[in-house]
Amino acid sequence: MVNTLFLPELREMLAEKNRAELEEFCTTLNPGRTAEFMEGLSNEEAWEVLQFAEASRRSEIFGYFNEERQVAMLSDHEPSQVAALVEEIPADDRVDLIQELSDERVREILPLLPVKDRRNIQRLRSYQEETAGGLMTTEVAKLGQKLTVRQALDELGRQASQLETIYYLYVVDEDDSLRGIVSTRQLVSSLAHPELTLGEMMETDVVVALVSEDQESVAQKVERFNLLAIPVVDASRRLLGIITHDDVIDVVREELTEDAQRIAAVAPLEDDFLRIRLLTLSWKRGIWLTILFFAALLTAFALRHYEEELKQFVWLVWFIPLIISAGGNSGSQSATLVITAMTSGQVKFRDWRRVLVRESIVSLVLGGFLATIGFCVAVMVAPSFHDALVIPITLLAVIVCGCMCGASLPIAFKRAGLDPALMSNPFVAGIVDILGIVIYINVGRMLLG
Amino acid sequence: MVNTLFLPELREMLAEKNRAELEEFCTTLNPGRTAEFMEGLSNEEAWEVLQFAEASRRSEIFGYFNEERQVAMLSDHEPSQVAALVEEIPADDRVDLIQELSDERVREILPLLPVKDRRNIQRLRSYQEETAGGLMTTEVAKLGQKLTVRQALDELGRQASQLETIYYLYVVDEDDSLRGIVSTRQLVSSLAHPELTLGEMMETDVVVALVSEDQESVAQKVERFNLLAIPVVDASRRLLGIITHDDVIDVVREELTEDAQRIAAVAPLEDDFLRIRLLTLSWKRGIWLTILFFAALLTAFALRHYEEELKQFVWLVWFIPLIISAGGNSGSQSATLVITAMTSGQVKFRDWRRVLVRESIVSLVLGGFLATIGFCVAVMVAPSFHDALVIPITLLAVIVCGCMCGASLPIAFKRAGLDPALMSNPFVAGIVDILGIVIYINVGRMLLG
């Protein structure tokens, strides 16, 4: 919902160039809320308002705009103003934004930044997206192990304004190699012993992420160990940066949303649903729809193959959609449950036997139940009690096949090093469709032929 | 993967009652890793090892066991030992665990706890699960606004060991009413001005959660404002507790997993996939499968109704599964995309017009493409070029219907105050199945009749 509460006042202040009030607007509220109140303004107006905030506040407010607005603002304005803003944006967010700008624009802005920031940006840009390196920020509190509690606190006081977060202090040696961590909490509660050194109090068994580690694995570590931030190191344990909890929430949301989309046979959008280009969206959906379409075409050939049987027992035709959908639905339930359980780490490859045993029991229960209902209906339309048996027998067989297929494919994909969510549901649907028809007609042949 | 690296050594230490080594095992590694190494031990053995850790460490390690083991441990051992452990567990986790114990057990343990903890537990138990109150911990750093930086730091030093987190200090008045917050970072970077008071430095525009607020809404606030912790207040703004970022990650994961499961027509499991009882699992799946089954039964009646047409044009039968699945797949894509976009806040109710326009364009592109392929195939089997047109026309119509249905139902459910993920995909599937058949036969009638 766009918050329009302050819009008229804001526009009036802008028209009057009311410095005092605009400055107050930028400082009184928390930066997130300030950004929210500015949502209704044009990019141009919002940029004007931002100029009344002091540098660090400006970048904080800017950080709460949506990406579209951020990119537009950085693309449109005076390079020197833009560079001043970019300098203040946290290192990890800054790199992500710069990736979105045109090469020409980047060439205009980079030279205006201090050498330190420029190097930092170039280094961060070299890491792959979706890895720890692509997520981390380099702004981290590094301290030597000989510092005392009192000295560390003073040093931290000096560094704090430059840092995104200070939940942990990272203790490093001369080569920047990570030796241990001290939490701010530990530091503060050790104020009574100001002569203790960081080396004496630090936790040496530190959970770290390798710079090339996949973001999903990083998120799992952070969740498992309830971390506020995880240090990122290279192969020789040099501390390169940290990944903070807010980036981890984003990763969790992104990965799970992708799962849900893949389950519904959509290639992950990687963009806002309302902002993605329609042609891109059509492609991301069309590719899977087409594959599924060809799978379903096979059912047409199968049915054509059984033309004689279907002519002989016309009533069998009526139940075709029912049987296919029962198999498809139960299969997609199984696949989704196994996929979500694997994403959250509840199911590992080694559990495959247990999963299949459990699924076979559940599928017998479900199949048995639906077969019973199916039989009651079939009795009403089939020529005889005996003929009606085709329906429940087929249903039971198809549902068991659907569940087994749905449960085993994601595990097999995972084993093959693929994303279990990637193709499971479409594959299951395709296989179960064909299998359903083949089982159906053959059961019919045996009982009726 | 169960880590078996240390198991033999651990068992040997236990057999020898080697106090020194066991104590070292409990302190050297970080608590999460210690718990991981103990995974292969029996509950009995793990409990024995825990006794060698000092009280606060013991509860930390315990916190990393899975819930099953935690509940078993609290249920089986000496009430006095258990109470000593429970006293050390963070307030929010403690309440969740106590809910899992038998009433009898709770009656044994509660009286052994200090009055303060007992009251705290009773109060937290009174809040509903899935609300801010049910998630929060009461261990929060409350300070008065007259304290100076130096005094605040000292006071924090005294409180810190009792608190789960100290990222923010909460400034309250005499009635515990929340006046503002000061981040630990601010505090530490103000060390150069030790005479500043909290009242002077605090941020007064604080994002809060109401105690009765739904957990999904709380998670959205924390994400939107990048918070480490959000204060929970009652209607008169009294500070009751805080919710920390790790609980928020859990909420995000839980809500999105439920979405994926609902999309696949499974009632949310609310338990581990491998641990949930098979009867419960069958119920959570069977209820939706049955509803879908009855929806699909309607297709049987529809087909029966069109018996004459199908006898006359037998080749139409071959394409029934193809047409139904094309409609179903495109509808489930639309529904899933809209649902995930709504969960992440990208799509609001007010966007419905834009969503429908975009979906109709995409559905025409997708439908047009698949209709073309369908036509090429139909030409090969249909009696004439003209007859073959039934297939592409039907495909286009069904895919457009599927997409519109899939996009509008979740929005309508949301508008009606229901969970958009709850029934959308099953409903879409049901509607599209029937619609597909009706459209198919009627197009056939018009062109062939």
Side-chain angles (χ1 to χ4, degrees):
Chain A
M1 209 71 80
V2 175
N3 197 324
T4 53
L5 204 63
F6 275 177
L7 281 190
E9 284 84 347
L10 271 175
R11 293 215 163 101
E12 209 182 299
M13 293 180 210
L14 275 178
E16 298 169 357
K17 299 216 177 297
N18 190 330
R19 169 167 293 276
E21 282 191 14
L22 282 166
E23 280 177 2
E24 202 195 323
F25 171 74
C26 291
T27 41
T28 316
L29 298 167
N30 86 49
R33 199 109 63 175
T34 310
E36 220 170 59
F37 281 122
M38 287 162 77
E39 255 175 54
L41 295 180
S42 72
N43 289 346
E44 205 45 59
E45 290 169 326
W47 181 260
E48 262 187 80
V49 174
L50 273 192
Q51 303 315 311
F52 291 91
E54 51 126 352
S56 75
R57 191 70 171 193
R58 187 186 306 147
S59 81
E60 279 187 90
I61 299 172
F62 179 83
Y64 287 103
F65 292 149
N66 64 44
E67 203 187 290
E68 206 175 11
R69 165 164 281 187
Q70 291 182 338
V71 172
M73 283 184 161
L74 297 189
S75 305
D76 288 347
H77 297 279
E78 256 301 286
S80 63
Q81 280 184 321
V82 170
L85 175 64
V86 167
E87 207 184 315
E88 294 286 331
I89 302 176
D92 50 345
D93 301 338
R94 182 163 69 181
V95 176
D96 295 340
L97 276 174
I98 287 181
Q99 314 272 36
E100 302 292 319
L101 299 180
S102 71
D103 288 349
E104 197 196 340
R105 189 70 185 167
V106 174
R107 273 196 300 272
E108 280 172 6
I109 296 173
L110 276 190
L112 301 174
L113 293 174
V115 184
K116 198 174 109 286
D117 290 88
R118 210 153 61 214
R119 285 230 189 91
N120 185 286
I121 288 171
Q122 270 149 358
R123 192 148 61 94
L124 282 181
R125 279 172 90 180
S126 70
Y127 299 117
Q128 288 228 284
E129 261 194 284
E130 318 227 326
T131 65
L135 280 179
M136 72 180 181
T137 180
T138 46
E139 291 153 351
V140 39
K142 291 182 191 172
L143 298 169
Q145 52 183 316
K146 298 223 175 92
L147 291 186
T148 64
V149 167
R150 175 66 59 206
Q151 290 169 326
L153 212 52
D154 289 341
E155 177 60 27
L156 201 59
R158 273 189 293 277
Q159 296 188 14
S161 60
Q162 307 296 322
L163 300 173
E164 191 180 339
T165 50
I166 56 157
Y167 337 118
Y168 302 114
L169 319 186
Y170 297 91
V171 182
V172 293
D173 61 19
E174 313 75 50
D175 308 322
D176 260 6
S177 196
L178 181 63
R179 305 301 298 269
I181 61 169
V182 173
S183 70
T184 315
R185 178 171 101 173
Q186 260 178 297
L187 194 68
V188 169
S189 52
S190 301
L191 275 174
H193 314 282
E195 295 313 315
L196 262 178
T197 67
L198 295 185
E200 288 162 336
M201 31 186 322
M202 71 187 180
E203 182 98 51
T204 52
D205 179 43
V206 185
V207 179
V208 299
L210 265 178
V211 65
S212 57
E213 195 168 329
D214 182 76
Q215 62 175 7
E216 198 172 341
S217 145
V218 175
Q220 276 171 6
K221 278 188 187 166
V222 171
E223 275 188 82
R224 168 142 184 74
F225 293 101
N226 283 337
L227 304 173
L228 283 162
I230 190 169
V232 179
V233 298
D234 65 12
S236 57
R237 228 184 147 75
R238 256 182 354 121
L239 180 62
L240 302 176
I242 55 169
I243 297 170
T244 53
H245 71 106
D246 49 326
D247 296 314
V248 171
I249 295 191
D250 292 344
V251 169
V252 168
R253 186 174 281 286
E254 191 183 311
E255 300 276 343
L256 286 170
T257 303
E258 283 185 14
D259 268 11
Q261 291 173 349
R262 285 193 174 125
I263 285 172
V266 181
L269 297 195
E270 287 162 9
D271 205 347
D272 237 48
F273 177 60
L274 283 178
R275 240 175 287 156
I276 192 171
R277 287 177 50 227
L278 289 179
L279 211 63
T280 317
L281 182 59
S282 303
W283 166 254
K284 283 173 184 281
R285 296 172 58 164
I287 174 104
W288 282 110
L289 270 192
T290 310
I291 294 174
L292 288 171
F293 188 83
F294 278 104
L297 256 183
L298 294 179
T299 60
F301 289 107
L303 285 173
R304 192 179 175 202
H305 179 75
Y306 293 123
E307 192 174 353
E308 282 316 307
E309 286 84 349
L310 291 174
K311 265 192 192 146
Q312 212 181 330
F313 312 107
V314 179
W315 67 275
L316 287 187
V317 170
W318 307 335
F319 289 93
I320 291 176
L322 180 75
I323 282 167
I324 288 188
S325 84
N329 290 332
S330 48
S332 106
Q333 284 186 338
S334 300
T336 304
L337 287 172
V338 172
I339 290 167
T340 52
M342 286 202 295
T343 303
S344 66
Q346 290 170 10
V347 167
K348 302 277 194 318
F349 175 74
R350 64 182 161 100
D351 298 316
W352 67 271
R353 216 182 297 259
R354 203 160 149 221
V355 170
L356 292 189
V357 170
R358 286 172 59 97
E359 277 303 299
S360 58
I361 298 172
V362 170
S363 68
L364 286 170
V365 174
L366 295 173
F369 180 68
L370 293 183
T372 312
I373 306 180
F375 181 64
C376 299
V377 178
V379 159
M380 297 190 290
V381 297
S384 78
F385 191 87
H386 172 263
D387 288 4
L389 279 174
V390 179
I391 302 300
I393 294 176
T394 306
L395 275 172
L396 182 61
V398 169
I399 288 170
V400 171
C401 283
C403 289
M404 298 322 275
C405 214
S408 49
L409 271 185
I411 300 182
F413 282 139
K414 174 95 176 181
R415 180 63 175 179
L418 301 168
D419 184 330
L422 181 56
M423 300 179 289
S424 300
N425 284 45
F427 261 71
V428 172
I431 295 174
V432 173
D433 280 3
I434 294 290
L435 222 58
I437 292 200
V438 173
I439 293 175
Y440 188 32
I441 305 294
N442 282 298
V443 170
R445 262 186 188 162
M446 271 165 30
L447 283 178
L448 313 176
Chain B
M1 208 72 79
V2 175
N3 196 324
T4 53
L5 204 64
F6 275 179
L7 281 190
E9 285 84 348
L10 271 175
R11 293 215 163 102
E12 208 182 299
M13 293 180 210
L14 275 176
E16 295 169 359
K17 301 213 177 297
N18 189 332
R19 167 167 296 272
E21 284 191 14
L22 283 165
E23 281 178 1
E24 202 195 323
F25 170 74
C26 292
T27 42
T28 316
L29 298 168
N30 86 48
R33 199 108 62 173
T34 310
E36 221 170 59
F37 280 122
M38 286 162 76
E39 255 175 53
L41 295 180
S42 72
N43 290 346
E44 204 46 59
E45 290 168 325
W47 181 260
E48 260 186 81
V49 174
L50 274 191
Q51 303 315 310
F52 291 92
E54 50 127 351
S56 75
R57 191 72 172 194
R58 189 186 305 148
S59 80
E60 279 187 88
I61 299 172
F62 179 83
Y64 287 102
F65 291 149
N66 65 45
E67 202 188 292
E68 205 174 11
R69 165 165 281 186
Q70 291 181 337
V71 172
M73 281 183 162
L74 298 188
S75 305
D76 288 349
H77 297 277
E78 255 302 286
S80 63
Q81 281 184 321
V82 169
L85 175 63
V86 167
E87 206 183 316
E88 294 285 332
I89 301 175
D92 49 347
D93 300 336
R94 182 163 70 182
V95 175
D96 295 340
L97 276 174
I98 286 180
Q99 314 272 38
E100 301 292 321
L101 298 180
S102 70
D103 289 348
E104 194 194 343
R105 189 68 185 170
V106 174
R107 274 195 301 272
E108 279 172 7
I109 296 172
L110 276 191
L112 300 175
L113 293 174
V115 184
K116 197 173 108 294
D117 291 272
R118 210 153 62 215
R119 285 227 190 93
N120 185 287
I121 289 171
Q122 270 149 359
R123 192 147 62 93
L124 283 180
R125 279 173 90 180
S126 69
Y127 300 116
Q128 287 227 285
E129 261 193 286
E130 316 226 327
T131 65
L135 279 179
M136 72 181 181
T137 179
T138 46
E139 291 154 352
V140 40
K142 291 182 193 174
L143 297 170
Q145 51 183 317
K146 300 225 175 91
L147 290 187
T148 64
V149 167
R150 174 68 58 206
Q151 289 169 325
L153 212 52
D154 289 342
E155 176 59 27
L156 200 58
R158 273 190 292 278
Q159 294 188 16
S161 61
Q162 308 295 322
L163 300 173
E164 194 181 337
T165 51
I166 55 157
Y167 337 117
Y168 301 115
L169 318 186
Y170 297 91
V171 182
V172 293
D173 62 17
E174 314 73 52
D175 306 323
D176 260 6
S177 197
L178 181 63
R179 306 300 298 271
I181 61 169
V182 174
S183 70
T184 314
R185 179 171 100 172
Q186 260 179 297
L187 194 69
V188 169
S189 50
S190 302
L191 273 174
H193 314 281
E195 294 315 313
L196 264 177
T197 67
L198 296 185
E200 287 162 335
M201 31 187 321
M202 71 187 179
E203 181 98 52
T204 51
D205 177 42
V206 185
V207 178
V208 299
L210 265 178
V211 66
S212 56
E213 195 168 330
D214 182 77
Q215 61 175 8
E216 199 171 342
S217 146
V218 175
Q220 276 172 6
K221 279 188 188 166
V222 171
E223 276 189 84
R224 171 145 180 72
F225 293 100
N226 283 336
L227 303 173
L228 284 163
I230 190 170
V232 180
V233 298
D234 65 12
S236 57
R237 228 182 145 76
R238 250 177 4 115
L239 179 62
L240 301 177
I242 56 169
I243 297 170
T244 52
H245 72 105
D246 50 325
D247 296 314
V248 171
I249 294 192
D250 293 345
V251 169
V252 169
R253 187 174 280 285
E254 191 184 310
E255 300 276 343
L256 284 170
T257 303
E258 282 185 15
D259 267 11
Q261 290 171 353
R262 285 191 173 125
I263 285 172
V266 181
L269 298 196
E270 287 161 8
D271 205 348
D272 237 48
F273 177 59
L274 282 178
R275 239 176 286 157
I276 192 170
R277 286 175 52 226
L278 289 178
L279 212 62
T280 318
L281 182 59
S282 303
W283 166 255
K284 283 174 184 279
R285 297 172 58 165
I287 175 104
W288 283 109
L289 270 192
T290 310
I291 294 173
L292 288 170
F293 188 82
F294 278 104
L297 255 183
L298 294 179
T299 61
F301 287 108
L303 285 174
R304 193 179 175 201
H305 178 75
Y306 293 122
E307 191 172 356
E308 283 317 306
E309 286 84 348
L310 290 173
K311 263 192 193 145
Q312 212 182 330
F313 312 106
V314 179
W315 67 275
L316 287 187
V317 170
W318 308 336
F319 290 93
I320 290 176
L322 180 74
I323 283 167
I324 287 188
S325 84
N329 290 331
S330 49
S332 107
Q333 284 188 336
S334 300
T336 304
L337 287 171
V338 172
I339 291 167
T340 52
M342 286 204 294
T343 303
S344 67
Q346 291 170 9
V347 167
K348 302 277 193 321
F349 175 74
R350 62 179 163 105
D351 298 315
W352 68 271
R353 215 182 299 259
R354 201 158 150 226
V355 170
L356 291 189
V357 171
R358 288 172 58 96
E359 277 303 299
S360 58
I361 298 172
V362 170
S363 68
L364 285 171
V365 174
L366 295 175
F369 180 68
L370 294 184
T372 313
I373 306 180
F375 180 64
C376 298
V377 178
V379 160
M380 296 190 289
V381 298
S384 79
F385 192 86
H386 173 263
D387 289 5
L389 280 175
V390 179
I391 302 300
I393 294 175
T394 307
L395 276 172
L396 182 62
V398 169
I399 289 170
V400 171
C401 283
C403 290
M404 298 322 274
C405 213
S408 49
L409 271 185
I411 299 182
F413 282 138
K414 174 94 177 183
R415 179 63 175 179
L418 300 168
D419 184 330
L422 181 57
M423 298 179 291
S424 299
N425 284 44
F427 261 73
V428 171
I431 295 175
V432 173
D433 279 3
I434 294 291
L435 223 57
I437 292 196
V438 173
I439 293 176
Y440 189 30
I441 304 295
N442 282 298
V443 170
R445 262 186 187 161
M446 271 163 33
L447 282 178
L448 314 177

